[in-house]
Amino acid sequence: MPRDHAIGYCRGDARGWVQQTEGWAAGLKLLALSHAWGGNALVSPMHSISSALSRQDHGPTGERTISDYLLEEVFQRQSPEMQQFLLRTAITRRMNSSLCQVLSDMQEAPQLLRQLEKEHLFLVPLDREAHWYRYHHLFSAFLKRELDRCGTEKVNELHALAALWYEQQGYPAEALDHYILGQHMQDAARLLEELFAHFIMGEWWTLRRYFDVLPLEIVKSRPKLYMSYLFLVAREMPYGQMVKQLDELEHLIRVHLQGQLEPEIIGYLLQVICVMRAYMAYLNRDLDGLAHYLVSYIDQGYPDDIAFQYMDYDRRESMRLRSFHGVNGYLRRGEACFGAITERWYAEHAYVTSYYGVGYGEILMEQNQIAEAVRYADRALEVALQIKVAALLVPAYVLKARLELTLGRPEEGLKLLRQFSGILSGKDMEYWQPALETHQYRILIEISPVESAHTILAKPANEGDVAAEFSCDQFFRSMVRIRAMIILEQYDYAREELRRLRKQAEERDLLAEQVECALLESIMLQKQGFTDASVVALSRALVLGGPEGYIRSFVAEGEQMKQLLQHYLYMRRTKAIHDDGVKMAYVKQLLSAFARDKRLRGPSSAGEAKLDTKEVGLSPMEQKIFGHIAEGLTSKQIAAEFGISPGTVNTHIRRVFAKLGASSRTHAVQIAEQRGLL
């Protein structure tokens, strides 16, 4: 054969060899074992083996592969005892000596396992201690095909043995797999009923797969399992159809199962139906119905079954007020729903207590009821630490950190978030890391604005943050990046991002995001010197936030926002801008909140703290005039407001200064803020 032709032939052999043995490593091992045990010398492996294969009966599965041929050669050279061991242990994805003993029914199973390991016979260790093993996938597939020749009954019997062993050893998920593979559906249904809570808390897609396999008649024969199934498929079923199913199920339990089941079981099933009705209300954004059914759920006594308290398992976000289905940043809706649920569940150590408690705490914080917000945040975190579910822990820690920032302790908030990162498991940390990091950056902006802004923008934007639609946490991450852009005066980029986010927030009716976009736009425009445009953006924030009672979002923007509000109030009073429907009382409430915020963070000196106890004795007119001073109006503007002369205004102002012990307008406002007079 010419040399070039020979090289081409060998290359063709090589490609075929790699393809049919699924990689060089497995192929070379097969060749080595075959050769070591006296197999044919392979001058041209593809030629000699293909010739051998062509002479054999390929059976119903079609042409056999090279790996099949060599694996059969390796298998046939084993002792009958080893062959039996290999076949009977082939059904499981992993094995140890104890399981092998059960499956093979051989006392010497541990020795046979060690022999396989010693001879490198396609046995792969799964841990350093060599406790768990599996067969190489090629060998495993071959053995299963050989085992199938023994008949379905034998294979199913082995799966039953494996399932029972796994269940007894505390590996229920693997036991469930073997019950299903072995067609032992009643046992599978029994175990799935027990495992429902485990899967619904983190692997509901696996749960869905199991229900797809189990016959529906078996599922329906177990009322608890059937309700678990309905709970799972609720999203896929029209609301009316699901309500009908629940009505029929409740009728069956109340009428036909009375006397057939224990009263405790009847009570449990009715409780689950109640919480499922709550879940359907949640899916349909019926917040009143959700609150009603969850309160009814606890009033009739709820079972210690976390699965049916986990109402929001696929919406894992760090802020309830923004992300909860149907609330979307609307404080009135959230307060009516979260408040009713939390007040009733407050004393319980339950998932519901923490889940809705965080949402209620966020609402109270936005309403500037900080002391009450801290109370609910503490309770939510206490319960979350007991249950130890990341979907509870993350929002609770985030709320606590945000409250620390509100109380003027940003370093404490940062410390909380950093400490918490060490609590999460690797898988949870991977999921939650972006959100936790973003909340840390939001606090760092308050501590060291310029340095933090550079750090934030040095990191590339997350790919998901440029998607057509993204989560509330991704919205928040984009907002933090925009804040960094504004700090570093990258206004063109910030303007474009704000336009994009605002459009999405409006399309999805996300109120908190719309308010924040308007506030950031107002601040950015004011920094650029576009005062009129800044007031327009602020007006939009007030129009959005006023009806819902937004306060904290404004106050958190600091002194610049206070000045913008004072300017807005002056322009409204002087008719410099049209009436946009914003109530003046709301603007005054926001300005007063800035003063309360300063007191909340603590007086700057012991002397200032003592001033709070003194009587000032301002007359009604002095109080009104001083209110206008605090809003930034001049004497001439105040005079026009009351129809008096500027000189009269100045006389009142001097009296106010004397009563407060102030030397200037700025000093007087500072004293009044410290003493709660504004």
Side-chain angles (χ1 to χ4, degrees):
M1 182 183 295
R3 182 173 181 274
D4 291 346
H5 182 74
I7 292 173
Y9 181 76
C10 291
R11 285 175 179 167
D13 285 351
R15 283 193 296 271
W17 185 257
V18 172
Q19 181 180 1
Q20 294 196 47
T21 59
E22 303 182 43
W24 276 115
L28 291 174
K29 182 178 283 190
L30 278 168
L31 284 172
L33 287 169
S34 176
H35 184 69
W37 290 336
N40 296 325
L42 298 173
V43 176
S44 176
M46 290 294 289
H47 175 73
S48 60
I49 296 174
S50 296
S51 298
L53 288 174
S54 67
R55 295 192 297 269
Q56 299 202 24
D57 178 15
H58 301 259
T61 58
E63 186 176 352
R64 301 171 68 204
T65 64
I66 295 170
S67 59
D68 286 337
Y69 173 77
L70 289 177
L71 284 166
E72 182 173 346
E73 186 175 353
V74 170
F75 179 73
Q76 292 300 335
R77 291 181 181 277
Q78 304 303 311
S79 67
E81 180 185 52
M82 181 61 84
Q83 288 182 11
Q84 179 182 337
F85 177 86
L86 291 169
L87 290 175
R88 293 176 68 95
T89 56
I91 61 155
T92 185
R93 285 196 295 267
R94 64 171 185 155
M95 56 193 173
N96 60 19
S97 58
S98 173
L99 177 57
C100 288
Q101 225 167 7
V102 170
L103 291 174
S104 66
D105 195 24
M106 296 178 180
Q107 290 299 318
E108 61 273 26
Q111 292 82 359
L112 293 174
L113 196 60
R114 285 195 293 271
Q115 181 182 334
L116 290 176
E117 183 181 20
K118 184 178 179 181
E119 294 177 358
H120 305 290
L121 191 62
F122 296 96
L123 192 68
V124 181
L126 298 178
D127 51 30
R128 292 182 178 180
E129 296 77 19
H131 182 65
W132 288 99
Y133 299 89
R134 69 169 175 85
Y135 291 123
H136 184 280
H137 61 92
L138 280 175
F139 198 35
S140 176
F142 167 79
L143 291 174
K144 287 175 182 175
R145 286 195 295 272
E146 292 296 308
L147 181 62
D148 284 342
R149 298 180 182 181
C150 299
T152 303
E153 186 177 344
K154 186 63 177 177
V155 174
N156 290 349
E157 178 187 333
L158 288 170
H159 279 299
L161 289 172
L164 183 59
W165 184 89
Y166 274 121
E167 187 174 357
Q168 290 174 342
Q169 299 301 316
Y171 302 107
E174 286 168 288
L176 181 57
D177 287 336
H178 281 287
Y179 280 132
I180 290 174
L181 288 170
Q183 298 300 307
H184 304 284
M185 295 305 184
Q186 290 292 352
D187 282 311
R190 170 186 57 80
L191 192 53
L192 183 58
E193 189 172 274
E194 297 173 13
L195 290 179
F196 180 77
H198 165 76
F199 285 118
I200 202 70
M201 294 300 291
E203 297 181 39
W204 63 270
W205 54 91
T206 304
L207 191 62
R208 189 69 176 90
R209 178 171 59 85
Y210 285 133
F211 276 116
D212 286 341
V213 173
L214 282 174
L216 188 57
E217 60 270 19
I218 291 180
V219 174
K220 283 187 171 182
S221 70
R222 308 181 73 92
K224 180 181 176 182
L225 186 63
Y226 182 47
M227 282 191 285
S228 301
Y229 167 74
L230 291 178
F231 185 74
L232 187 69
V233 301
R235 290 178 177 276
E236 307 165 19
M237 197 175 292
Y239 183 54
Q241 184 179 344
M242 176 57 78
V243 170
K244 182 180 178 182
Q245 294 258 24
L246 292 176
D247 289 344
E248 291 175 355
L249 195 56
E250 184 168 355
H251 179 76
L252 173 69
I253 293 167
R254 291 187 182 278
V255 177
H256 299 289
L257 295 183
Q258 290 290 342
Q260 298 183 33
L261 297 175
E262 294 293 328
E264 294 78 10
I265 297 177
I266 294 289
Y268 171 83
L269 295 176
L270 293 174
Q271 289 159 358
V272 173
I273 287 178
C274 183
V275 80
M276 287 180 66
R277 292 189 189 279
Y279 187 49
M280 291 307 299
Y282 156 73
L283 291 177
N284 287 274
R285 302 193 177 200
D286 177 8
L287 298 176
D288 291 337
L290 171 63
H292 168 75
Y293 285 119
L294 280 184
V295 170
S296 299
Y297 185 46
I298 190 173
D299 284 344
Q300 67 184 10
Y302 68 96
D304 186 17
D305 192 337
I306 196 171
F308 295 108
Q309 298 173 32
Y310 195 16
M311 297 290 294
D312 204 17
Y313 56 83
D314 67 339
R315 299 180 68 85
R316 297 187 294 167
E317 300 206 43
S318 65
M319 292 175 284
R320 297 271 182 265
L321 173 60
R322 294 181 179 228
S323 65
F324 192 81
H325 198 57
V327 174
N328 296 354
Y330 284 84
L331 302 187
R332 310 290 184 205
R333 299 178 193 167
E335 184 177 17
C337 178
F338 295 166
I341 295 169
T342 303
E343 289 292 346
R344 189 64 186 85
W345 283 80
Y346 187 86
E348 302 296 322
H349 292 277
Y351 195 99
V352 172
T353 308
S354 180
Y355 189 94
Y356 293 95
V358 165
Y360 193 39
E362 289 173 354
I363 290 166
L364 291 167
M365 184 175 74
E366 184 58 50
Q367 294 172 336
N368 221 33
Q369 300 182 52
I370 306 303
E372 279 295 281
V374 168
R375 174 175 169 244
Y376 285 99
D378 287 344
R379 179 59 179 157
L381 181 56
E382 178 188 10
V383 175
L385 287 168
Q386 293 172 343
I387 296 177
K388 298 179 181 177
V389 173
L392 292 182
L393 286 166
V394 172
Y397 267 98
V398 164
L399 176 57
K400 284 289 295 179
R402 292 171 67 199
L403 284 167
E404 290 293 343
L405 176 61
T406 298
L407 291 165
R409 302 191 292 258
E411 291 83 2
E412 289 300 314
L414 202 59
K415 183 179 176 182
L416 266 176
L417 292 177
R418 286 172 174 169
Q419 285 178 341
F420 172 58
S421 296
I423 296 176
L424 293 179
S425 66
K427 184 178 178 181
D428 284 332
M429 194 62 212
E430 182 181 351
Y431 179 88
W432 288 105
Q433 178 61 30
L436 290 171
E437 186 178 72
T438 302
H439 285 286
Q440 290 180 44
Y441 281 137
R442 178 65 186 91
I443 294 175
L444 282 167
I445 281 177
E446 301 297 323
I447 298 173
S448 52
V450 175
E451 181 184 352
S452 299
H454 280 295
T455 303
I456 291 165
L457 296 181
K459 296 174 68 68
N462 189 290
E463 290 183 7
D465 293 351
V466 296
E469 181 175 313
F470 45 88
S471 70
C472 292
D473 276 347
Q474 288 171 316
F475 258 114
F476 185 68
R477 183 155 58 245
S478 294
M479 293 290 190
V480 170
R481 289 183 64 84
I482 290 169
R483 289 179 184 277
M485 293 174 189
I486 293 172
I487 289 169
L488 299 181
E489 300 182 357
Q490 298 180 12
Y491 298 129
D492 290 341
Y493 292 110
R495 186 180 303 107
E496 185 61 32
E497 278 296 284
L498 275 172
R499 186 180 297 116
R500 180 174 70 90
L501 293 181
R502 176 186 170 186
K503 181 181 178 183
Q504 281 210 38
E506 288 173 348
E507 289 174 351
R508 294 168 57 185
D509 194 26
L510 302 176
L511 184 62
E513 285 77 4
Q514 291 182 65
V515 171
E516 190 171 3
C517 280
L519 290 174
L520 289 180
E521 185 180 352
S522 177
I523 287 171
M524 179 180 68
L525 290 168
Q526 197 270 347
K527 282 180 176 289
Q528 293 177 276
F530 303 130
T531 304
D532 290 344
S534 174
V535 170
V536 171
L538 176 59
S539 172
R540 188 168 67 252
L542 292 167
V543 168
L544 290 166
E548 292 295 313
Y550 268 75
I551 296 176
R552 194 72 227 164
S553 291
F554 290 83
V555 176
E557 300 300 339
E559 185 64 25
Q560 187 178 357
M561 180 52 58
K562 175 183 172 183
Q563 292 174 5
L564 280 167
L565 286 166
Q566 289 172 337
H567 182 63
Y568 170 87
L569 192 60
Y570 166 69
M571 294 186 73
R572 279 285 304 276
R573 278 183 168 149
T574 58
K575 314 296 183 184
I577 57 175
H578 70 282
D579 185 347
D580 51 12
V582 175
K583 294 181 179 179
M584 302 288 270
Y586 174 53
V587 182
K588 291 180 179 180
Q589 182 186 15
L590 290 174
L591 287 168
S592 296
F594 279 91
R596 290 198 301 275
D597 186 60
K598 192 166 185 177
R599 293 198 309 278
L600 183 68
R601 292 165 181 257
S604 58
S605 70
E608 290 175 354
K610 290 178 182 177
L611 288 172
D612 291 342
T613 62
K614 293 184 178 179
E615 290 292 337
V616 179
L618 295 181
S619 69
M621 178 58 77
E622 288 168 349
Q623 291 176 20
K624 291 177 182 178
I625 289 176
F626 187 66
H628 289 320
I629 292 173
E631 291 165 11
L633 273 65
T634 64
S635 295
K636 187 176 180 180
Q637 292 165 340
I638 296 172
E641 180 78 14
F642 290 104
I644 57 180
S645 69
T648 303
V649 171
N650 288 332
T651 299
H652 284 297
I653 290 174
R654 284 194 295 272
R655 290 174 182 166
V656 170
F657 285 0
K659 292 179 180 180
L660 292 175
S663 57
S664 66
R665 294 188 179 208
T666 301
H667 189 201
V669 171
Q670 290 175 347
I671 293 172
E673 286 179 343
Q674 293 160 8
R675 300 171 67 175
L677 299 176
L678 290 178

